[in-house]
């Protein structure tokens, strides 16, 4: 639910953005502009012309190189004719949305404009039992302005400026069983009972505010110049700024930890493309430059209950009947609450990235029916980063252990040998100590693709393609130790695909089918936070390389006009994505990278997925019609995290959505009643 954790996957391949040092395996583009963070996509999409999904490695035609594919979001251009649209939507949970746009000429035949805006609200879906409030609401809005400049027939300029804001009580997470034994012991010691471990109860318990504030600003300028009858030069310049400010709680009504990770990303990109049509073939030549500045700061503020909860839990693991009532005085005497209360742990990080690439492609018709496409790209990446951590506050002198710096009494109480620890070292072990690291990584890579298209006739085409994709290595923007390296290797994907697309049955049936095989070397994934604290952090923030991943599958999509006003849409995908070499997987029990998941299904990669849609319209009266639609979507089970622990399993589910309405035949207005998840399916 939080923007910073947004993930896109294609054919089961994608990357979490929890660690800012990792790039997305799926490239996201908005009107040709590469979006450096996946969280930049969380704003409402309005005034869309179309969305293109390009599967497999990309990078020889435009923009940034990717290993899984690319999603291109294209919005409508300004028009020299006046026009506009307004959409309002209301639903349960007090859901309401307003979206609209207006377009028209500003200077006759030379300058046109378009103004688009949206506003979305919805009450929260999670009940906070601590104060009865509803959490995980929606409250977001934005504006987008465009200018289209056409001073002549050979030159066109498009200028875009946009702003978006999210200001929400979000994101509180429901509990998912099972709970780790160490956490259960600590809860039992202080007498704390957690809310239902069934996430579908949508209940949580938090005594601190949970909030997120996100802002996004961006401008771009695109110039398209027809140099002559056969050549077109395109220049696309863009700047974007993204700010993410969260407030998170420890998901309990105890005073344990509050904080969050502030994040800011600023990027500038410049792309040039020259498209040329020769007598025998067409070419694309391009240059791409991207500069990114990523800054983040993780803050953790420790509370008055943490010392008793941590050390009391350790005691209960040794003495099962120990509770706060019968031993709390002793624990508090050794480590009073004020020892940790008010302690602040700050982990700032910063990374600067420069990406430079040259790419080219050629489309060469070998015969009237056969066309060969070749493309190549050279990419160079330079990254520099600094990661540090400091701990301040609290009152370490409040503990008697600080006087002697001897942990013998505490070790005897907990049944552990703490003779090698100092008191300061113990605090480091609980909360984390001082840390500093500076890294740099430079690398270059060659990637490319080849495709052969064979037109059987004007309605049917067969194709075969091979591609090699590249996603740069990087720097782990987190605290690391012996288990995880400070840098990670690039992700290299090799993909082969066979397919066909076209029309049948007098063009009543359109279809596309594909079979693919891919190998991914050094796939980039997350592993557990490496801090050696007494109660290990459950987050997955550090980065590792999975030795090898194999992707094999079949895809089919079809639109079929069953009757003049009845359209069927069908999609089905089988994806066998497995980690063929993964003997360094994280183990959820030992929290070491010693688990062997070789041969297992890749996480976030369901084996089966599909959809079925039926759309029907019926004329009524003179100029009205009733549209209706039914959509059915399903996907098989999968795991949500890389270690495939029992708490991360996502069951298979199916959803049914329906809508029915009334509209004018020329579609100048319509009214629709809709229902999503008609049968109230519980799913994650």
């Amino acid at each position: 639910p939080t923007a910073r954790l947004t993930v896109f996957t294609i054919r089961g391949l994608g990357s979490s953005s929890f660690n800012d040092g990792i790039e997305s395996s799926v490239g996201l583009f908005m009107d040709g502009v590469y979006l450096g963070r996946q969280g930049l996509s969380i704003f409402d999409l309005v005034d869309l012309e179309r969305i293109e999904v390009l599967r497999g490695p990309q990078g020889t035609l435009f923009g940034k190189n990717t290993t899984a594919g690319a999603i291109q979001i294209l919005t409508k251009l300004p028009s020299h004719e006046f026009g506009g649209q307004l959409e309002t939507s209301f639903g349960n949970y007090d859901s309401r949305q307003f979206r609209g746009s207006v377009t028209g000429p500003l200077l006759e035949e030379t300058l046109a404009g378009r103004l688009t805006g949206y506003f979305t609200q919805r009450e929260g879906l999670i009940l906070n039992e601590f104060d009865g409030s509803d959490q995980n609401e929606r409250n977001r809005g934005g504006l987008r302005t465009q200018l289209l400049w056409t001073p002549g027939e050979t030159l066109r300029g498009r200028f875009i400026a946009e702003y978006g804001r999210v200001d929400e009580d979000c994101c509180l997470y429901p509990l998912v069983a099972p709970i780790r034994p160490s956490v259960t012991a600590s809860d039992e010691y202080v007498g704390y009972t957690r809310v239902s471990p069934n996430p579908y109860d949508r209940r949580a318990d938090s005594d601190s505010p949970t909030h997120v504030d996100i802002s996004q600003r961006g401008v771009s300028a695109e110039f398209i110049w027809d140099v002559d009858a056969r050549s077109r030069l395109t220049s696309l310049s863009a700047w974007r700024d993204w700010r993410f400010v969260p407030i998170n709680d420890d998901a309990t009504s105890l005073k344990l930890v509050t904080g969050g990770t502030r994040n800011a990303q600023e990027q500038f990109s410049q792309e040039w493309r020259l498209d040329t049509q020769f007598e025998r073939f067409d070419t694309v030549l391009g240059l791409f430059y991207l500069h990114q500045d990523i800054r983040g700061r993780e803050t953790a503020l420790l509370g008055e209950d943490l010392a008793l909860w941590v050390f009391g839990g350790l005691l209960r693991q040794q003495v099962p009947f120990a509770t706060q009532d019968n031993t709390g005085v002793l624990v508090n005497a050794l480590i009073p609450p004020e020892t940790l209360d008010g302690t602040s742990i700050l982990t700032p990080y910063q990374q600067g990235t420069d990406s430079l690439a040259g790419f080219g492609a050629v489309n060469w018709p070998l015969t009237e029916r056969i066309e060969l496409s070749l493309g190549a790209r050279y990419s160079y990446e330079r990254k520099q980063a600094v990661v540090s951590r400091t701990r301040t506050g609290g009152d370490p002198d409040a503990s008697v252990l600080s006087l002697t710096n001897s942990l013998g009494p505490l070790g005897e109480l907990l049944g552990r040998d703490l003779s090698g620890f100092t008191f300061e070292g113990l605090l480091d072990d609980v909360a984390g100590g001082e840390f500093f690291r500076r890294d740099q990584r430079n690398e270059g890579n060659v990637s490319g693709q080849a495709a052969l298209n064979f037109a059987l006739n004007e309605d049917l085409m067969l194709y075969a393609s091979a591609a090699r994709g590249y996603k740069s290595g990087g720097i782990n923007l987190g605290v690391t130790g012996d288990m995880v390296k400070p840098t990670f290797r690039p992700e290299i994907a090799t993909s082969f695909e066979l397919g066909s697309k076209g029309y049948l049955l007098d063009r009543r049936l359109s279809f596309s089918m594909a079979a693919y095989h891919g190998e991914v070397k050094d796939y980039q994934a997350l592993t557990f936070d490496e801090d050696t604290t007494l109660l290990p952090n459950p987050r997955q923030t550090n980065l590792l390389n999975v030795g090898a991943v194999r992707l094999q599958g079949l895809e089919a999509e079809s639109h079929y006009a069953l009757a003049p006003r009845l359209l069927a849409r069908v999609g089905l995908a089988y994806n066998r994505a497995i980690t063929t070499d993964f003997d360094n997987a994280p183990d959820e029990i030992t929290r070491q990278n010693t688990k062997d998941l070789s041969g297992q299904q890749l996480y976030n990669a369901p084996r089966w997925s599909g959809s079925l849609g039926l759309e029907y319209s019926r004329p009524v009266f003179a100029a009205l019609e009733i549209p209706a639609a039914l959509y059915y979507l399903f996907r098989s089970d999968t795991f949500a995290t890389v270690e495939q622990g029992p708490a991360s399993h996502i069951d298979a589910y199916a959803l049914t959505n329906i809508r029915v309405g009334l509209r004018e035949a020329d579609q100048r207005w319509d009214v629709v009643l809709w229902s999503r998840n008609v049968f109230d399916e519980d799913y994650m």
Side-chain angles (χ1 to χ4, degrees), residues 497-519:
E497 185 171 334
L498 294 172
S500 64
K501 59 181 67 176
Y503 301 92
L504 295 172
L505 304 177
D506 294 328
R507 289 188 165 241
R508 290 173 56 196
L509 173 67
S510 65
F511 74 95
S512 64
M513 296 171 31
Y516 59 88
H517 173 94
E519 301 282 345

Side-chain angles (χ1 to χ4, degrees), residues 79 84 165 264 270 377 382 400 405 409 452-453 512 576 666:
S79 172
R165 176 78 184 275
Q270 174 63 54
R377 180 188 186 100
R382 182 175 184 267
V400 297
N405 210 20
L452 192 65
N453 301 324
S512 64
R576 186 174 183 269
D666 60 8

Side-chain angles (χ1 to χ4, degrees), residues 55-117:
R55 300 176 175 95
Q58 305 294 322
T60 62
L61 294 177
F62 66 94
K64 192 87 162 60
N65 44 294
T66 66
T67 51
I71 299 174
Q72 170 84 293
I73 302 168
L74 300 170
T75 62
K76 294 179 180 177
L77 287 167
S79 172
H80 285 281
E81 296 183 3
F82 280 110
Q85 66 179 49
L86 176 65
E87 175 185 340
T88 63
S89 180
F90 302 92
N92 56 343
Y93 300 105
D94 200 20
S95 172
R96 51 200 182 276
Q97 184 178 67
F98 305 91
R99 306 195 298 183
S101 67
V102 60
T103 186
L106 300 177
L107 293 175
E108 186 175 356
E109 297 183 355
T110 303
L111 191 66
R114 192 176 195 95
L115 177 64
T116 304

Side-chain angles (χ1 to χ4, degrees), residues 356-538:
L356 182 63
F359 57 88
V362 57
N363 294 327
W364 187 5
L366 302 178
T367 68
E368 290 185 356
R369 294 189 176 185
I370 301 176
E371 182 178 78
L372 176 65
S373 299
L374 300 173
R377 180 188 186 100
Y378 176 76
S379 303
Y380 177 78
E381 302 271 346
R382 182 175 184 267
K383 299 180 179 181
Q384 294 178 306
V386 175
V387 182
S388 62
R389 182 173 63 190
T390 58
R391 188 181 76 242
T392 59
D395 186 9
D397 294 336
S399 172
V400 297
L401 299 176
S402 66
L403 300 177
T404 63
N405 210 20
S406 172
L407 300 185
L410 182 64
E412 293 178 8
L413 178 65
L414 301 180
R416 295 192 177 190
D417 182 11
L418 299 179
S419 58
F421 279 83
T422 63
F423 181 68
E424 187 69 22
L426 177 66
L427 296 183
D428 289 347
D429 200 44
V430 173
E434 300 289 321
F435 181 87
F436 180 85
R437 197 184 81 235
R438 185 187 300 273
D439 294 288
Q440 178 174 320
R441 184 178 179 91
N442 303 325
E443 64 184 44
N445 182 270
V446 176
S447 55
Q449 62 181 26
L452 192 65
N453 301 324
F454 177 42
L456 294 176
N457 52 53
E458 63 179 8
D459 288 338
L460 187 60
M461 183 188 75
L462 305 178
Y463 69 89
S465 67
R468 184 177 189 268
Y470 157 79
K471 186 176 75 168
S472 65
I475 300 170
N476 196 330
L477 297 182
V479 175
T480 57
D482 296 332
M483 187 179 75
V484 176
K485 297 179 180 179
T487 62
F488 52 94
R489 298 184 296 276
E491 181 178 298
I492 306 296
T494 304
S495 177
F496 302 93
E497 185 171 334
L498 294 172
S500 64
K501 59 181 67 176
Y503 301 92
L504 295 172
L505 304 177
D506 294 328
R507 289 188 165 241
R508 290 173 56 196
L509 173 67
S510 65
F511 74 95
S512 64
M513 296 171 31
Y516 59 88
H517 173 94
E519 301 282 345
V520 183
K521 180 182 177 183
D522 288 329
Y523 173 64
Q524 297 163 2
L526 296 181
T527 185
F528 289 114
D529 190 321
E530 199 175 4
D531 273 350
T532 56
T533 53
L534 291 177
L535 284 178
N537 197 311

